[in-house]
Amino acid sequence: MRVAVADYGAGNLRSLCAALTRAGAEPFVTTAAAEVREAPLAVVAGVGHVAGAAAGLSRTGVDEAIRGRADSGRPLLGICVGMQILFETSDEGGQGLGLLAGPVKRLEAARVPHMGWNTLATRPESRLLDNLDGADVYFAHSYAARPADPQVVTAEVEHDGPVVAAVEFGPVAGVQFHPERSGPAGARYLANLLRWSRSA
């Protein structure tokens, strides 16, 4: 399966592409809106902050391509900042894509950033998180989504209180953790992602 990895000028795209390749995908990095809109699966990954990511996507029209994918029911995954940009606003500044209702807020924890491994508590109906309940995955973030609809939350972790780790709504999915840095659990997530995308 060809996977369009949207390039907005920041992000750990090389290691993500390597992880997708190991999972059996054919990833390619692109700034072309048409490729992001039409690929069997599109991924928005990255580091940095929502305002910078939004500006990078807007420069190339990829923001509208992503909205078009969601409207037409084509599968989309956001990773880390790529997940945060699916929401409406962020405490870091800037507007998200508004595909999911709710803000992104700074973590209210004694230790910020939330950096390192943490254990997933998942909802059993999520195909993307199949066999990942209790798995340890890797995080590196200071902000997290607070969805307006709790039903979109498919996984949380504990970090001085619950932190949203994964969301799903129709063809749109997001993970706050980094699958490409999460060892066997991350590989499992990406394998689930490809199966989910084929049936979306």
Side-chain angles (χ1 to χ4, degrees), residues 9-49:
N12 194 13
L13 303 185
R14 181 177 296 179
S15 61
L16 173 61
C17 286
L20 284 165
T21 299
R22 289 193 296 272
E26 300 174 22
F28 63 99
V29 177
T30 183
T31 58
E35 291 182 328
V36 172
R37 184 174 57 249
E38 300 300 331
L41 170 65
V43 178
V44 182
V47 296
H49 52 82

PDB file of all heavy atoms in Angstrom, residues 9-49:
ATOM      1  N   GLY A   9       7.662  20.530   6.635  1.00  0.00           N
ATOM      2  CA  GLY A   9       8.915  21.186   6.964  1.00  0.00           C
ATOM      3  C   GLY A   9       9.500  20.807   8.300  1.00  0.00           C
ATOM      4  O   GLY A   9      10.529  21.347   8.707  1.00  0.00           O
ATOM      5  N   ALA A  10       8.878  19.890   9.018  1.00  0.00           N
ATOM      6  CA  ALA A  10       9.412  19.436  10.298  1.00  0.00           C
ATOM      7  C   ALA A  10       8.943  18.018  10.530  1.00  0.00           C
ATOM      8  O   ALA A  10       7.923  17.599   9.996  1.00  0.00           O
ATOM      9  CB  ALA A  10       8.951  20.338  11.444  1.00  0.00           C
ATOM     10  N   GLY A  11       9.696  17.282  11.318  1.00  0.00           N
ATOM     11  CA  GLY A  11       9.240  15.950  11.654  1.00  0.00           C
ATOM     12  C   GLY A  11      10.296  14.901  11.386  1.00  0.00           C
ATOM     13  O   GLY A  11      11.213  15.093  10.596  1.00  0.00           O
ATOM     14  N   ASN A  12      10.116  13.780  12.049  1.00  0.00           N
ATOM     15  CA  ASN A  12      11.052  12.675  11.972  1.00  0.00           C
ATOM     16  C   ASN A  12      10.604  11.736  10.850  1.00  0.00           C
ATOM     17  O   ASN A  12      10.248  10.582  11.079  1.00  0.00           O
ATOM     18  CB  ASN A  12      11.085  11.949  13.316  1.00  0.00           C
ATOM     19  CG  ASN A  12      12.259  11.015  13.437  1.00  0.00           C
ATOM     20  OD1 ASN A  12      13.187  11.071  12.644  1.00  0.00           O
ATOM     21  ND2 ASN A  12      12.197  10.137  14.419  1.00  0.00           N
ATOM     22  N   LEU A  13      10.616  12.241   9.605  1.00  0.00           N
ATOM     23  CA  LEU A  13       9.982  11.522   8.514  1.00  0.00           C
ATOM     24  C   LEU A  13      10.792  10.306   8.072  1.00  0.00           C
ATOM     25  O   LEU A  13      10.217   9.304   7.645  1.00  0.00           O
ATOM     26  CB  LEU A  13       9.747  12.466   7.336  1.00  0.00           C
ATOM     27  CG  LEU A  13       8.911  13.722   7.667  1.00  0.00           C
ATOM     28  CD1 LEU A  13       8.639  14.514   6.405  1.00  0.00           C
ATOM     29  CD2 LEU A  13       7.619  13.348   8.375  1.00  0.00           C
ATOM     30  N   ARG A  14      12.107  10.374   8.159  1.00  0.00           N
ATOM     31  CA  ARG A  14      12.924   9.248   7.702  1.00  0.00           C
ATOM     32  C   ARG A  14      12.662   8.002   8.536  1.00  0.00           C
ATOM     33  O   ARG A  14      12.459   6.906   7.985  1.00  0.00           O
ATOM     34  CB  ARG A  14      14.406   9.617   7.745  1.00  0.00           C
ATOM     35  CG  ARG A  14      15.317   8.498   7.269  1.00  0.00           C
ATOM     36  CD  ARG A  14      16.769   8.932   7.267  1.00  0.00           C
ATOM     37  NE  ARG A  14      17.022  10.019   6.329  1.00  0.00           N
ATOM     38  CZ  ARG A  14      18.202  10.587   6.143  1.00  0.00           C
ATOM     39  NH1 ARG A  14      19.245  10.171   6.835  1.00  0.00           N
ATOM     40  NH2 ARG A  14      18.340  11.558   5.280  1.00  0.00           N
ATOM     41  N   SER A  15      12.661   8.140   9.852  1.00  0.00           N
ATOM     42  CA  SER A  15      12.442   6.957  10.689  1.00  0.00           C
ATOM     43  C   SER A  15      11.006   6.458  10.570  1.00  0.00           C
ATOM     44  O   SER A  15      10.755   5.247  10.635  1.00  0.00           O
ATOM     45  CB  SER A  15      12.785   7.248  12.151  1.00  0.00           C
ATOM     46  OG  SER A  15      11.970   8.268  12.669  1.00  0.00           O
ATOM     47  N   LEU A  16      10.054   7.382  10.374  1.00  0.00           N
ATOM     48  CA  LEU A  16       8.671   6.960  10.169  1.00  0.00           C
ATOM     49  C   LEU A  16       8.539   6.154   8.883  1.00  0.00           C
ATOM     50  O   LEU A  16       7.901   5.097   8.859  1.00  0.00           O
ATOM     51  CB  LEU A  16       7.738   8.162  10.134  1.00  0.00           C
ATOM     52  CG  LEU A  16       6.290   7.858   9.769  1.00  0.00           C
ATOM     53  CD1 LEU A  16       5.649   6.896  10.772  1.00  0.00           C
ATOM     54  CD2 LEU A  16       5.478   9.143   9.653  1.00  0.00           C
ATOM     55  N   CYS A  17       9.151   6.634   7.815  1.00  0.00           N
ATOM     56  CA  CYS A  17       9.089   5.906   6.540  1.00  0.00           C
ATOM     57  C   CYS A  17       9.739   4.532   6.667  1.00  0.00           C
ATOM     58  O   CYS A  17       9.238   3.550   6.105  1.00  0.00           O
ATOM     59  CB  CYS A  17       9.746   6.718   5.435  1.00  0.00           C
ATOM     60  SG  CYS A  17       8.762   8.134   4.879  1.00  0.00           S
ATOM     61  N   ALA A  18      10.829   4.459   7.407  1.00  0.00           N
ATOM     62  CA  ALA A  18      11.481   3.164   7.608  1.00  0.00           C
ATOM     63  C   ALA A  18      10.560   2.207   8.357  1.00  0.00           C
ATOM     64  O   ALA A  18      10.471   1.012   8.017  1.00  0.00           O
ATOM     65  CB  ALA A  18      12.790   3.347   8.361  1.00  0.00           C
ATOM     66  N   ALA A  19       9.863   2.710   9.374  1.00  0.00           N
ATOM     67  CA  ALA A  19       8.950   1.863  10.139  1.00  0.00           C
ATOM     68  C   ALA A  19       7.766   1.420   9.282  1.00  0.00           C
ATOM     69  O   ALA A  19       7.320   0.269   9.362  1.00  0.00           O
ATOM     70  CB  ALA A  19       8.472   2.606  11.381  1.00  0.00           C
ATOM     71  N   LEU A  20       7.244   2.316   8.455  1.00  0.00           N
ATOM     72  CA  LEU A  20       6.142   1.951   7.559  1.00  0.00           C
ATOM     73  C   LEU A  20       6.593   0.908   6.538  1.00  0.00           C
ATOM     74  O   LEU A  20       5.841  -0.018   6.213  1.00  0.00           O
ATOM     75  CB  LEU A  20       5.612   3.196   6.844  1.00  0.00           C
ATOM     76  CG  LEU A  20       4.739   4.127   7.686  1.00  0.00           C
ATOM     77  CD1 LEU A  20       4.594   5.483   7.006  1.00  0.00           C
ATOM     78  CD2 LEU A  20       3.376   3.500   7.933  1.00  0.00           C
ATOM     79  N   THR A  21       7.805   1.056   6.046  1.00  0.00           N
ATOM     80  CA  THR A  21       8.336   0.069   5.102  1.00  0.00           C
ATOM     81  C   THR A  21       8.437  -1.304   5.755  1.00  0.00           C
ATOM     82  O   THR A  21       8.055  -2.328   5.165  1.00  0.00           O
ATOM     83  CB  THR A  21       9.709   0.520   4.576  1.00  0.00           C
ATOM     84  OG1 THR A  21       9.557   1.766   3.891  1.00  0.00           O
ATOM     85  CG2 THR A  21      10.288  -0.504   3.622  1.00  0.00           C
ATOM     86  N   ARG A  22       8.925  -1.349   6.987  1.00  0.00           N
ATOM     87  CA  ARG A  22       9.020  -2.631   7.709  1.00  0.00           C
ATOM     88  C   ARG A  22       7.639  -3.254   7.906  1.00  0.00           C
ATOM     89  O   ARG A  22       7.510  -4.491   7.941  1.00  0.00           O
ATOM     90  CB  ARG A  22       9.714  -2.440   9.056  1.00  0.00           C
ATOM     91  CG  ARG A  22      11.209  -2.157   8.957  1.00  0.00           C
ATOM     92  CD  ARG A  22      11.880  -2.285  10.304  1.00  0.00           C
ATOM     93  NE  ARG A  22      11.412  -1.311  11.274  1.00  0.00           N
ATOM     94  CZ  ARG A  22      11.912  -0.094  11.430  1.00  0.00           C
ATOM     95  NH1 ARG A  22      12.921   0.319  10.668  1.00  0.00           N
ATOM     96  NH2 ARG A  22      11.431   0.725  12.347  1.00  0.00           N
ATOM     97  N   ALA A  23       6.608  -2.400   8.020  1.00  0.00           N
ATOM     98  CA  ALA A  23       5.240  -2.901   8.204  1.00  0.00           C
ATOM     99  C   ALA A  23       4.617  -3.391   6.903  1.00  0.00           C
ATOM    100  O   ALA A  23       3.520  -3.959   6.917  1.00  0.00           O
ATOM    101  CB  ALA A  23       4.371  -1.802   8.817  1.00  0.00           C
ATOM    102  N   GLY A  24       5.299  -3.155   5.780  1.00  0.00           N
ATOM    103  CA  GLY A  24       4.806  -3.632   4.501  1.00  0.00           C
ATOM    104  C   GLY A  24       4.216  -2.566   3.607  1.00  0.00           C
ATOM    105  O   GLY A  24       3.651  -2.880   2.545  1.00  0.00           O
ATOM    106  N   ALA A  25       4.354  -1.302   3.985  1.00  0.00           N
ATOM    107  CA  ALA A  25       3.823  -0.196   3.189  1.00  0.00           C
ATOM    108  C   ALA A  25       4.874   0.314   2.212  1.00  0.00           C
ATOM    109  O   ALA A  25       6.047  -0.064   2.278  1.00  0.00           O
ATOM    110  CB  ALA A  25       3.370   0.944   4.099  1.00  0.00           C
ATOM    111  N   GLU A  26       4.432   1.175   1.306  1.00  0.00           N
ATOM    112  CA  GLU A  26       5.315   1.873   0.379  1.00  0.00           C
ATOM    113  C   GLU A  26       5.163   3.379   0.627  1.00  0.00           C
ATOM    114  O   GLU A  26       4.423   4.065  -0.063  1.00  0.00           O
ATOM    115  CB  GLU A  26       4.963   1.544  -1.067  1.00  0.00           C
ATOM    116  CG  GLU A  26       5.082   0.073  -1.409  1.00  0.00           C
ATOM    117  CD  GLU A  26       4.588  -0.226  -2.816  1.00  0.00           C
ATOM    118  OE1 GLU A  26       4.549   0.708  -3.656  1.00  0.00           O
ATOM    119  OE2 GLU A  26       4.223  -1.380  -3.081  1.00  0.00           O
ATOM    120  N   PRO A  27       5.867   3.905   1.652  1.00  0.00           N
ATOM    121  CA  PRO A  27       5.695   5.319   1.995  1.00  0.00           C
ATOM    122  C   PRO A  27       6.467   6.230   1.058  1.00  0.00           C
ATOM    123  O   PRO A  27       7.522   5.865   0.521  1.00  0.00           O
ATOM    124  CB  PRO A  27       6.265   5.397   3.412  1.00  0.00           C
ATOM    125  CG  PRO A  27       7.308   4.319   3.437  1.00  0.00           C
ATOM    126  CD  PRO A  27       6.779   3.213   2.570  1.00  0.00           C
ATOM    127  N   PHE A  28       5.927   7.438   0.859  1.00  0.00           N
ATOM    128  CA  PHE A  28       6.645   8.476   0.131  1.00  0.00           C
ATOM    129  C   PHE A  28       6.318   9.821   0.758  1.00  0.00           C
ATOM    130  O   PHE A  28       5.186  10.085   1.141  1.00  0.00           O
ATOM    131  CB  PHE A  28       6.300   8.458  -1.368  1.00  0.00           C
ATOM    132  CG  PHE A  28       4.853   8.744  -1.687  1.00  0.00           C
ATOM    133  CD1 PHE A  28       4.445  10.015  -2.088  1.00  0.00           C
ATOM    134  CD2 PHE A  28       3.893   7.743  -1.592  1.00  0.00           C
ATOM    135  CE1 PHE A  28       3.112  10.274  -2.394  1.00  0.00           C
ATOM    136  CE2 PHE A  28       2.563   7.997  -1.891  1.00  0.00           C
ATOM    137  CZ  PHE A  28       2.174   9.267  -2.292  1.00  0.00           C
ATOM    138  N   VAL A  29       7.343  10.651   0.899  1.00  0.00           N
ATOM    139  CA  VAL A  29       7.188  11.979   1.497  1.00  0.00           C
ATOM    140  C   VAL A  29       6.819  12.962   0.397  1.00  0.00           C
ATOM    141  O   VAL A  29       7.424  12.967  -0.682  1.00  0.00           O
ATOM    142  CB  VAL A  29       8.488  12.408   2.196  1.00  0.00           C
ATOM    143  CG1 VAL A  29       8.367  13.823   2.753  1.00  0.00           C
ATOM    144  CG2 VAL A  29       8.837  11.414   3.314  1.00  0.00           C
ATOM    145  N   THR A  30       5.820  13.794   0.664  1.00  0.00           N
ATOM    146  CA  THR A  30       5.337  14.689  -0.382  1.00  0.00           C
ATOM    147  C   THR A  30       4.799  15.991   0.186  1.00  0.00           C
ATOM    148  O   THR A  30       4.335  16.041   1.330  1.00  0.00           O
ATOM    149  CB  THR A  30       4.228  13.995  -1.209  1.00  0.00           C
ATOM    150  OG1 THR A  30       3.810  14.863  -2.270  1.00  0.00           O
ATOM    151  CG2 THR A  30       3.024  13.640  -0.346  1.00  0.00           C
ATOM    152  N   THR A  31       4.882  17.048  -0.618  1.00  0.00           N
ATOM    153  CA  THR A  31       4.226  18.319  -0.323  1.00  0.00           C
ATOM    154  C   THR A  31       3.099  18.573  -1.318  1.00  0.00           C
ATOM    155  O   THR A  31       2.505  19.656  -1.310  1.00  0.00           O
ATOM    156  CB  THR A  31       5.224  19.488  -0.398  1.00  0.00           C
ATOM    157  OG1 THR A  31       5.807  19.519  -1.707  1.00  0.00           O
ATOM    158  CG2 THR A  31       6.319  19.346   0.646  1.00  0.00           C
ATOM    159  N   ALA A  32       2.801  17.587  -2.163  1.00  0.00           N
ATOM    160  CA  ALA A  32       1.792  17.762  -3.216  1.00  0.00           C
ATOM    161  C   ALA A  32       0.403  17.461  -2.664  1.00  0.00           C
ATOM    162  O   ALA A  32       0.119  16.350  -2.205  1.00  0.00           O
ATOM    163  CB  ALA A  32       2.100  16.846  -4.393  1.00  0.00           C
ATOM    164  N   ALA A  33      -0.473  18.453  -2.725  1.00  0.00           N
ATOM    165  CA  ALA A  33      -1.819  18.300  -2.182  1.00  0.00           C
ATOM    166  C   ALA A  33      -2.564  17.147  -2.848  1.00  0.00           C
ATOM    167  O   ALA A  33      -3.259  16.372  -2.177  1.00  0.00           O
ATOM    168  CB  ALA A  33      -2.599  19.600  -2.352  1.00  0.00           C
ATOM    169  N   ALA A  34      -2.428  17.004  -4.159  1.00  0.00           N
ATOM    170  CA  ALA A  34      -3.154  15.944  -4.869  1.00  0.00           C
ATOM    171  C   ALA A  34      -2.722  14.567  -4.393  1.00  0.00           C
ATOM    172  O   ALA A  34      -3.553  13.662  -4.246  1.00  0.00           O
ATOM    173  CB  ALA A  34      -2.947  16.081  -6.371  1.00  0.00           C
ATOM    174  N   GLU A  35      -1.425  14.393  -4.142  1.00  0.00           N
ATOM    175  CA  GLU A  35      -0.941  13.092  -3.673  1.00  0.00           C
ATOM    176  C   GLU A  35      -1.451  12.788  -2.274  1.00  0.00           C
ATOM    177  O   GLU A  35      -1.829  11.651  -1.976  1.00  0.00           O
ATOM    178  CB  GLU A  35       0.588  13.062  -3.705  1.00  0.00           C
ATOM    179  CG  GLU A  35       1.161  13.072  -5.107  1.00  0.00           C
ATOM    180  CD  GLU A  35       2.666  12.987  -5.132  1.00  0.00           C
ATOM    181  OE1 GLU A  35       3.307  13.498  -4.185  1.00  0.00           O
ATOM    182  OE2 GLU A  35       3.198  12.412  -6.096  1.00  0.00           O
ATOM    183  N   VAL A  36      -1.468  13.793  -1.412  1.00  0.00           N
ATOM    184  CA  VAL A  36      -1.980  13.592  -0.059  1.00  0.00           C
ATOM    185  C   VAL A  36      -3.476  13.285  -0.103  1.00  0.00           C
ATOM    186  O   VAL A  36      -3.974  12.434   0.644  1.00  0.00           O
ATOM    187  CB  VAL A  36      -1.702  14.828   0.816  1.00  0.00           C
ATOM    188  CG1 VAL A  36      -2.409  14.723   2.167  1.00  0.00           C
ATOM    189  CG2 VAL A  36      -0.205  15.003   1.015  1.00  0.00           C
ATOM    190  N   ARG A  37      -4.196  13.941  -0.988  1.00  0.00           N
ATOM    191  CA  ARG A  37      -5.640  13.730  -1.071  1.00  0.00           C
ATOM    192  C   ARG A  37      -5.991  12.345  -1.622  1.00  0.00           C
ATOM    193  O   ARG A  37      -6.938  11.708  -1.177  1.00  0.00           O
ATOM    194  CB  ARG A  37      -6.270  14.810  -1.953  1.00  0.00           C
ATOM    195  CG  ARG A  37      -7.799  14.737  -2.038  1.00  0.00           C
ATOM    196  CD  ARG A  37      -8.370  15.905  -2.810  1.00  0.00           C
ATOM    197  NE  ARG A  37      -7.806  15.985  -4.155  1.00  0.00           N
ATOM    198  CZ  ARG A  37      -6.969  16.949  -4.570  1.00  0.00           C
ATOM    199  NH1 ARG A  37      -6.605  17.915  -3.742  1.00  0.00           N
ATOM    200  NH2 ARG A  37      -6.503  16.947  -5.799  1.00  0.00           N
ATOM    201  N   GLU A  38      -5.222  11.834  -2.570  1.00  0.00           N
ATOM    202  CA  GLU A  38      -5.625  10.644  -3.316  1.00  0.00           C
ATOM    203  C   GLU A  38      -4.952   9.354  -2.889  1.00  0.00           C
ATOM    204  O   GLU A  38      -5.394   8.268  -3.284  1.00  0.00           O
ATOM    205  CB  GLU A  38      -5.362  10.868  -4.818  1.00  0.00           C
ATOM    206  CG  GLU A  38      -6.123  12.043  -5.402  1.00  0.00           C
ATOM    207  CD  GLU A  38      -7.627  11.899  -5.274  1.00  0.00           C
ATOM    208  OE1 GLU A  38      -8.116  10.752  -5.253  1.00  0.00           O
ATOM    209  OE2 GLU A  38      -8.322  12.930  -5.178  1.00  0.00           O
ATOM    210  N   ALA A  39      -3.890   9.400  -2.109  1.00  0.00           N
ATOM    211  CA  ALA A  39      -3.187   8.174  -1.713  1.00  0.00           C
ATOM    212  C   ALA A  39      -4.121   7.262  -0.914  1.00  0.00           C
ATOM    213  O   ALA A  39      -5.049   7.732  -0.241  1.00  0.00           O
ATOM    214  CB  ALA A  39      -1.958   8.522  -0.883  1.00  0.00           C
ATOM    215  N   PRO A  40      -3.897   5.954  -0.958  1.00  0.00           N
ATOM    216  CA  PRO A  40      -4.726   5.044  -0.170  1.00  0.00           C
ATOM    217  C   PRO A  40      -4.735   5.373   1.328  1.00  0.00           C
ATOM    218  O   PRO A  40      -5.733   5.177   2.009  1.00  0.00           O
ATOM    219  CB  PRO A  40      -4.096   3.673  -0.438  1.00  0.00           C
ATOM    220  CG  PRO A  40      -3.467   3.811  -1.786  1.00  0.00           C
ATOM    221  CD  PRO A  40      -2.955   5.223  -1.835  1.00  0.00           C
ATOM    222  N   LEU A  41      -3.598   5.876   1.832  1.00  0.00           N
ATOM    223  CA  LEU A  41      -3.479   6.291   3.228  1.00  0.00           C
ATOM    224  C   LEU A  41      -2.583   7.515   3.279  1.00  0.00           C
ATOM    225  O   LEU A  41      -1.586   7.574   2.560  1.00  0.00           O
ATOM    226  CB  LEU A  41      -2.883   5.161   4.076  1.00  0.00           C
ATOM    227  CG  LEU A  41      -2.457   5.494   5.510  1.00  0.00           C
ATOM    228  CD1 LEU A  41      -3.668   5.872   6.358  1.00  0.00           C
ATOM    229  CD2 LEU A  41      -1.705   4.314   6.138  1.00  0.00           C
ATOM    230  N   ALA A  42      -2.933   8.478   4.113  1.00  0.00           N
ATOM    231  CA  ALA A  42      -2.078   9.646   4.332  1.00  0.00           C
ATOM    232  C   ALA A  42      -1.739   9.737   5.817  1.00  0.00           C
ATOM    233  O   ALA A  42      -2.574   9.426   6.675  1.00  0.00           O
ATOM    234  CB  ALA A  42      -2.754  10.929   3.877  1.00  0.00           C
ATOM    235  N   VAL A  43      -0.511  10.165   6.098  1.00  0.00           N
ATOM    236  CA  VAL A  43      -0.042  10.317   7.466  1.00  0.00           C
ATOM    237  C   VAL A  43       0.517  11.722   7.633  1.00  0.00           C
ATOM    238  O   VAL A  43       1.284  12.197   6.793  1.00  0.00           O
ATOM    239  CB  VAL A  43       1.051   9.279   7.805  1.00  0.00           C
ATOM    240  CG1 VAL A  43       1.570   9.493   9.227  1.00  0.00           C
ATOM    241  CG2 VAL A  43       0.511   7.860   7.647  1.00  0.00           C
ATOM    242  N   VAL A  44       0.117  12.383   8.717  1.00  0.00           N
ATOM    243  CA  VAL A  44       0.691  13.673   9.104  1.00  0.00           C
ATOM    244  C   VAL A  44       1.435  13.452  10.406  1.00  0.00           C
ATOM    245  O   VAL A  44       0.827  13.123  11.424  1.00  0.00           O
ATOM    246  CB  VAL A  44      -0.395  14.755   9.295  1.00  0.00           C
ATOM    247  CG1 VAL A  44       0.251  16.098   9.648  1.00  0.00           C
ATOM    248  CG2 VAL A  44      -1.258  14.879   8.055  1.00  0.00           C
ATOM    249  N   ALA A  45       2.754  13.552  10.352  1.00  0.00           N
ATOM    250  CA  ALA A  45       3.573  13.295  11.532  1.00  0.00           C
ATOM    251  C   ALA A  45       4.413  14.523  11.813  1.00  0.00           C
ATOM    252  O   ALA A  45       4.549  15.405  10.961  1.00  0.00           O
ATOM    253  CB  ALA A  45       4.466  12.083  11.290  1.00  0.00           C
ATOM    254  N   GLY A  46       4.990  14.565  13.020  1.00  0.00           N
ATOM    255  CA  GLY A  46       5.888  15.684  13.198  1.00  0.00           C
ATOM    256  C   GLY A  46       6.230  16.026  14.609  1.00  0.00           C
ATOM    257  O   GLY A  46       5.740  15.443  15.557  1.00  0.00           O
ATOM    258  N   VAL A  47       7.103  17.007  14.674  1.00  0.00           N
ATOM    259  CA  VAL A  47       7.524  17.625  15.914  1.00  0.00           C
ATOM    260  C   VAL A  47       7.264  19.118  15.767  1.00  0.00           C
ATOM    261  O   VAL A  47       6.853  19.588  14.717  1.00  0.00           O
ATOM    262  CB  VAL A  47       9.016  17.358  16.199  1.00  0.00           C
ATOM    263  CG1 VAL A  47       9.253  15.873  16.417  1.00  0.00           C
ATOM    264  CG2 VAL A  47       9.878  17.853  15.048  1.00  0.00           C
ATOM    265  N   GLY A  48       7.514  19.862  16.837  1.00  0.00           N
ATOM    266  CA  GLY A  48       7.277  21.297  16.748  1.00  0.00           C
ATOM    267  C   GLY A  48       5.960  21.651  17.412  1.00  0.00           C
ATOM    268  O   GLY A  48       5.619  21.113  18.453  1.00  0.00           O
ATOM    269  N   HIS A  49       5.207  22.546  16.782  1.00  0.00           N
ATOM    270  CA  HIS A  49       3.954  22.989  17.395  1.00  0.00           C
ATOM    271  C   HIS A  49       2.885  23.173  16.329  1.00  0.00           C
ATOM    272  O   HIS A  49       3.165  23.205  15.122  1.00  0.00           O
ATOM    273  CB  HIS A  49       4.149  24.277  18.192  1.00  0.00           C
ATOM    274  CG  HIS A  49       4.822  25.370  17.431  1.00  0.00           C
ATOM    275  ND1 HIS A  49       4.151  26.210  16.564  1.00  0.00           N
ATOM    276  CD2 HIS A  49       6.116  25.760  17.390  1.00  0.00           C
ATOM    277  CE1 HIS A  49       4.997  27.068  16.036  1.00  0.00           C
ATOM    278  NE2 HIS A  49       6.202  26.818  16.510  1.00  0.00           N
TER     279      HIS A  49
END
